[in-house]
Amino acid sequence: MTLDIVIPAFNESRQITALFDKLRVIAFPSFIHAVQFICVNDCSTDQTKEVVEAYQQQYPSFNLLLLSHDQNKGKGAAVRTGIEAGRGDLVLIQDGDLELSPSDIPSMLDCMHLLKVEFVNGSRYLPGVMRPLYAYRRYYFNKLFTRIASVLVNVRFTDLACGYKLFTRSIYNKIQLQENRFGFEAELIIKMARQNRTLIAEVPVNYFPRNVGEGKKLKSTDGIKIFLVILKYGLFKN
């Protein structure tokens, strides 16, 4: 099988090189025969594009494709751009920061392979996860939104907003994603569950949160928008 790792990036010039270094040394499972890394620069205002281009030149054997938006469209739009540019049998979304550890990618792939599922959701709240304490309100509302979405689609998720999402291209081709910004994760997970709720699994992933000063993009007001997205796709199938 082949894998596309899609990396949406907006103003990640300080972190993106360290992320690539970690991705470059992953020991992928033997059933993964080829990996392409697709970085989508979402019209960054810093040096993200130049840093990625320099990395391409420094490590030409690292199968890294760089795409760029000419205007900022949001994470959801960047992910769609990356997926549509790839050809892999499997797609994994990897945020451009280092809040999630690439060392967890093999366990997600193993889970998909062993359980024969089409969608694997990363979870920061399953037992065995290593993470520091962080903003309680953010944690509370994520748990609340996750429970609401779980009830609406009748699938018990533990972490709606986790950035790690792994799925087959075949199931992706059956859905049509529309959300451009942070509500994208909620739309994706609800539509995947609606396709086949019996072929979904969760895997614990480690989490290293950062704050706004370190480049955190999600704001408190975005929570309201995410909640509206949950209701939009959870209550209305079309």
Side-chain angles (χ1 to χ4, degrees):
M1 303 188 79
T2 56
L3 170 67
D4 290 332
I5 296 183
V6 177
I7 309 165
F10 176 67
N11 289 353
E12 296 292 355
S13 61
R14 292 183 295 176
Q15 299 280 2
I16 200 81
T17 296
L19 172 63
F20 290 156
D21 286 343
K22 291 181 181 296
L23 291 171
R24 192 164 48 86
V25 299
I26 290 176
F28 289 96
S30 60
F31 58 85
I32 299 297
H33 302 139
V35 182
Q36 182 177 38
F37 303 90
I38 305 173
C39 181
V40 182
N41 170 41
D42 193 25
C43 197
S44 297
T45 57
D46 66 357
Q47 299 299 307
T48 296
K49 182 174 182 290
E50 290 76 12
V51 170
V52 176
E53 289 174 335
Y55 202 91
Q56 286 177 310
Q57 295 180 359
Q58 184 177 1
Y59 298 100
S61 62
F62 184 55
N63 191 16
L64 175 61
L65 172 65
L66 172 63
L67 305 172
S68 291
H69 287 165
D70 56 9
Q71 61 181 356
N72 181 258
K73 298 180 180 180
K75 179 181 177 180
V79 168
R80 290 199 303 274
T81 294
I83 294 173
E84 290 161 11
R87 294 293 182 270
D89 303 309
L90 309 177
V91 178
L92 181 131
I93 301 172
Q94 167 72 64
D95 288 346
D97 54 35
L98 280 174
E99 286 196 336
L100 298 170
S101 173
S103 63
D104 289 319
I105 293 176
S107 65
M108 296 184 69
L109 291 165
D110 285 335
C111 174
M112 174 173 279
H113 185 68
L114 292 172
L115 298 183
K116 308 298 182 187
V117 295
E118 293 186 286
F119 178 71
V120 176
N121 185 53
S123 175
R124 298 161 291 180
Y125 306 122
L126 287 173
V129 171
M130 178 177 64
R131 69 176 184 273
L133 299 178
Y134 68 111
Y136 180 73
R137 280 181 295 181
R138 189 187 308 163
Y139 164 83
Y140 176 82
F141 283 108
N142 181 36
K143 296 294 287 184
L144 176 63
F145 293 168
T146 298
R147 287 171 181 167
I148 293 172
S150 296
V151 170
L152 291 174
V153 298
N154 196 22
V155 177
R156 185 183 180 276
F157 294 106
T158 63
D159 192 357
L160 181 78
C162 181
Y164 267 150
K165 304 281 191 280
L166 170 67
F167 45 88
T168 64
R169 185 170 292 273
S170 59
I171 195 172
Y172 172 81
N173 289 337
K174 295 177 183 177
I175 65 177
Q176 184 175 2
L177 298 178
Q178 300 176 17
E179 298 300 318
N180 287 335
R181 300 198 177 273
F182 288 107
F184 156 80
E185 280 94 353
E187 179 193 11
L188 174 65
I189 206 168
I190 290 172
K191 288 186 173 180
M192 288 289 181
R194 285 246 165 85
Q195 284 299 311
N196 194 332
R197 66 185 184 185
T198 65
L199 294 180
I200 293 177
E202 278 193 325
V203 170
V205 296
N206 296 296
Y207 182 49
F208 306 95
R210 59 181 183 171
N211 57 40
V212 174
E214 296 169 323
K216 184 74 176 179
K217 307 296 191 304
L218 188 66
K219 301 176 182 178
S220 299
T221 53
D222 292 317
I224 299 173
K225 300 174 185 176
I226 293 171
F227 179 62
L228 293 176
V229 168
I230 293 170
L231 295 181
K232 176 181 178 180
Y233 296 105
L235 293 174
F236 306 101
K237 293 185 179 181
N238 296 320

